[in-house]
């Protein structure tokens, strides 16, 4: 039986990557290009939308991505246009006005989005406790650099005022919380009209970390403003939100998050090169986007600023940890990009089947001793590997010490925590939308 040809609107994919100018974000972009060209038919094309904080970084990123493309044998798509199109936008995720501006730009210029990879982040780190770091590395390698406890962070970092002046009525907004999660959360909600279309469900991919420690997060301090580990707090909250997003108890708030904003304009129609096209009297039903969780393992990025000589030393110790059997030390950003790119490009049937078999998971980039990369489920405190009581735990490689087998009580507590966090995030989103007076289009 002859395979059915893809509709025109499914032949062109649109993927957005935040924080694309360096490190993991740039590696994600390069790997997306490479894997799209080698795994998708020549009739399919990709528009890769990259975001950075300013025009200078955007121009530099585009220049380096074009250089990366120079060595790739781009087979022209069916209409003789290049298969890869690059587009740069700017956003400062700690500025909610900037998030709104990017949202309006994309809503007015982009016909759809097949995936958004929410990678941009900020550590808020101020240094390293060197005596503790040296002792830990010398006495407990590779564990000490898989789940480090020696990084120092600022406490109480807040964003600049989001309104014209920070009056007594404007609450503080945590800088690390906003850069790592809340800015992305608002962006994803605003872009729901582009993520909802009749073809295969679009994907919202949040980037987390192995350092999403349970004891770093407290619901009473959702933004981590009082926490000495604001980065770890924001990543733990990310884990909680994504892993509980498909549960019945969180459905009222997740449905609000995945519903188009009332002021959002309809997406522009994609050009299908057909002059005889007529409007559909009965549009096809749209599918809501799916939410996925990923992490890059441990790679040598600049999220913790170090002098070059110390950065080289860090990389050397990372390689040593890998040779000692750590599956998580990907070291290079290219290998760290394995899991998020897989989530963006894998067939939907494959993702559905894996979650049906093993539950909703946190998908991490991992490597063998020889550096062969692959994707592996990651154990999460309170959730286990797939959120299933009696599921896989004991055989998980590279697991954190103190992990206990998931029982029904722990599962219920995690689900209740998810409900609380989703409710609070939606309350914050609604309040900030009103406070910023989102203009009607």
């Amino acid at each position: 039986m002859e395979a059915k040809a893809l509709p025109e609107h499914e032949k062109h994919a649109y993927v957005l990557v935040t924080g694309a100018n360096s490190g993991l974000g740039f590696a994600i972009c390069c790997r997306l290009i490479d894997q799209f060209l080698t795994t998708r038919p020549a009739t399919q094309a990709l528009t890769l939308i990259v975001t950075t904080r300013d025009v200078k970084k955007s121009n530099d990123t585009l220049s380096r991505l074009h250089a990366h493309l120079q060595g790739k044998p781009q087979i022209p798509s069916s209409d003789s246009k290049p298969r890869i199109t690059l587009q740069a936008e700017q956003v400062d995720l700690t500025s909610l006005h900037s998030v709104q501006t990017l949202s309006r730009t994309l809503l007015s210029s982009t016909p759809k989005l097949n995936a958004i990879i929410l990678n941009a982040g900020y550590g808020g780190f101020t240094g390293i406790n060197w005596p503790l770091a040296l002792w830990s590395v010398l006495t407990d390698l590779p564990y000490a650099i898989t789940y480090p406890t020696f990084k120092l962070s600022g406490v109480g970092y807040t964003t600049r005022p989001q309104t014209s002046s920070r009056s007594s009525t404007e609450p503080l907004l945590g800088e690390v919380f906003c850069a790592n999660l809340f800015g992305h959360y608002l962006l994803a909600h605003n872009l729901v009209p582009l993520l909802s279309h009749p073809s295969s469900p679009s994907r919202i991919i949040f980037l987390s970390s192995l350092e999403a420690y349970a004891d770093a997060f407290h619901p009473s301090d959702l933004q981590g403003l009082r926490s000495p580990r604001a980065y770890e707090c924001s990543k733990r909250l990310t884990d909680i939100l994504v892993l509980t997003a498909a549960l019945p108890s969180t459905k009222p708030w997740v449905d609000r998050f995945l519903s188009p904003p009332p002021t959002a304009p309809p997406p522009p129609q994609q050009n299908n090169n057909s002059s005889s096209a007529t409007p559909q009297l009965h549009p096809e039903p749209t599918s809501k986007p799916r939410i996925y969780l990923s992490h890059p393992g441990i790679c040598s990025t600049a999220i913790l600023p170090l002098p070059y000589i110390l950065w080289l030393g860090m990389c050397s110790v990372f390689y040593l940890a890998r040779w000692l059997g750590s599956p998580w030390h990907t070291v290079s950003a290219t290998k760290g990009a394995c899991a998020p790119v897989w989530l963006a490009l894998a067939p939907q049937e494959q993702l559905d089947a894996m979650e049906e078999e093993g539950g909703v998971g946190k998908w991490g980039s991992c490597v063998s001793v020889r550096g062969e990369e692959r994707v592996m489920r990651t154990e999460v405190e309170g959730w286990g590997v797939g959120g299933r009581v009696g599921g896989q735990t004991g055989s998980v490689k590279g697991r954190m010490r103190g992990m206990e087998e998931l029982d029904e009580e722990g599962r219920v507590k995690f689900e209740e925590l998810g409900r609380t966090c989703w409710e609070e995030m939606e309350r914050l989103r609604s309040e900030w939308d009103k406070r910023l007076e989102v203009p009607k289009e």
Side-chain angles (χ1 to χ4, degrees):
M1 183 175 176
E2 187 176 351
K4 185 179 179 181
L6 281 175
E8 288 296 327
H9 68 274
E10 292 189 28
K11 290 183 179 179
H12 199 129
Y14 292 79
V15 177
L16 170 72
V17 180
T18 66
N21 58 291
S22 63
L24 181 63
F26 186 78
I28 287 173
C29 294
C30 293
R31 190 161 185 140
L32 271 169
I33 290 170
D34 295 348
Q35 292 191 202
F36 189 90
L37 290 175
T38 56
T39 63
R40 296 296 178 91
T43 55
Q44 295 187 24
L46 168 69
T47 291
L48 179 57
I49 306 170
V50 299
T51 76
T52 66
R53 288 173 63 95
D54 56 55
V55 174
K56 181 179 179 181
K57 288 181 178 179
S58 289
N59 290 338
D60 176 67
T61 302
L62 285 181
S63 176
R64 289 184 291 130
L65 285 175
H66 279 298
H68 179 78
L69 266 172
Q70 289 299 315
K72 307 298 173 184
Q74 266 208 82
I75 303 172
S77 59
S78 57
D79 57 3
S80 299
K81 294 180 180 178
R83 291 188 66 198
I84 304 295
T85 302
L86 301 175
Q87 175 182 333
E89 303 290 349
Q90 293 78 49
V91 65
D92 176 357
L93 290 162
T94 65
S95 166
L96 303 188
H97 280 295
S98 178
V99 171
Q100 288 181 333
T101 299
L102 174 62
S103 302
R104 288 194 291 268
T105 297
L106 294 175
L107 286 168
S108 64
S109 63
T110 308
K112 65 173 182 175
L113 285 169
N114 296 85
I116 57 175
I117 302 178
L118 304 174
N119 159 76
Y122 168 60
F125 301 120
T126 58
I128 290 177
N129 181 336
W130 285 108
L132 177 59
L134 291 172
W135 174 257
S136 300
V137 169
L138 290 173
T139 61
D140 198 13
L141 193 71
Y143 189 86
I145 55 172
T146 305
Y147 303 102
T149 57
F150 44 75
K151 289 187 285 188
L152 303 176
S153 302
V155 178
Y157 288 176
T158 61
T159 66
R160 294 185 297 273
Q162 301 293 332
T163 54
S164 56
S165 61
R166 177 163 280 160
S167 64
S168 58
T169 60
E170 181 182 330
L172 298 176
L173 191 57
E175 185 177 28
V176 177
F177 166 75
C178 199
N180 292 344
L181 179 58
F182 194 54
H184 283 140
Y185 186 90
L186 294 185
L187 180 64
H189 170 73
N190 292 342
L191 296 179
V192 163
L194 302 182
L195 292 161
S196 305
H197 41 80
S199 55
S200 181
S202 293
R203 302 164 193 181
I204 301 172
I205 302 166
F206 282 91
L207 266 290
S208 183
S209 168
L210 283 171
E211 298 173 45
Y213 307 138
D215 63 357
F217 174 76
H218 300 280
S220 61
D221 185 24
L222 195 81
Q223 301 186 38
L225 285 169
R226 301 188 300 273
S227 173
R229 296 184 290 174
Y231 174 82
E232 293 87 344
C233 174
S234 70
K235 295 303 181 181
R236 174 63 175 178
L237 178 55
T238 301
D239 284 8
I240 294 167
L241 292 171
V242 178
L243 294 175
T244 61
L247 299 179
S249 60
T250 63
K251 188 176 187 301
W253 297 279
V254 178
D255 282 350
R256 293 179 198 174
F257 171 65
L258 294 179
S259 297
T263 58
Q269 292 297 312
Q270 186 170 354
N271 180 15
N272 60 6
N273 298 321
S274 174
S275 59
S276 61
T278 57
Q280 288 182 289
L281 296 178
H282 303 287
E284 296 180 70
T286 60
S287 55
K288 288 188 176 182
R290 307 283 180 85
I291 309 175
Y292 293 98
L293 183 65
S294 181
H295 73 84
I298 300 168
C299 50
S300 51
T301 66
I303 195 165
L304 177 62
L306 289 173
Y308 183 66
I309 187 67
L310 292 180
W311 180 83
L312 288 177
M314 177 186 71
C315 292
S316 300
V317 175
F318 283 0
Y319 277 114
L320 178 59
R322 181 200 291 179
W323 296 331
L324 290 174
S326 169
W328 297 125
H329 284 81
T330 51
V331 187
S332 78
T334 299
K335 294 184 185 298
C338 176
V341 171
W342 172 73
L343 283 171
L345 296 181
Q348 188 62 48
E349 296 79 8
Q350 180 185 6
L351 298 180
D352 291 346
M354 294 184 76
E355 293 203 337
E356 177 67 25
E357 178 184 359
V360 176
K362 179 176 181 178
W363 302 98
S365 303
C366 69
V367 289
S368 68
V369 173
R370 292 186 294 181
E372 298 155 329
E373 71 263 30
R374 62 187 178 90
V375 178
M376 186 167 76
R377 287 178 177 271
T378 308
E379 193 170 7
V380 176
E381 292 180 84
W383 183 257
V385 173
R388 295 180 177 176
V389 176
Q392 180 188 11
T393 52
S395 62
V396 175
K397 293 182 178 180
R399 69 191 310 223
M400 183 185 294
R401 290 172 187 157
M403 285 282 192
E404 298 179 356
E405 184 175 351
L406 183 63
D407 57 21
E408 188 61 36
E409 182 182 359
R411 174 67 164 68
V412 169
K413 286 182 179 179
F414 194 91
E415 181 172 345
E416 177 61 24
L417 185 60
R419 187 199 65 76
T420 300
C421 292
W422 270 106
E423 183 177 9
E424 180 64 13
M425 288 293 287
E426 276 301 287
R427 183 190 68 78
L428 282 174
R429 181 187 63 77
S430 178
E431 288 183 357
W432 276 106
D433 277 348
K434 293 175 183 177
R435 190 172 288 114
L436 295 169
E437 297 180 349
V438 180
K440 293 184 179 181
E441 297 292 338

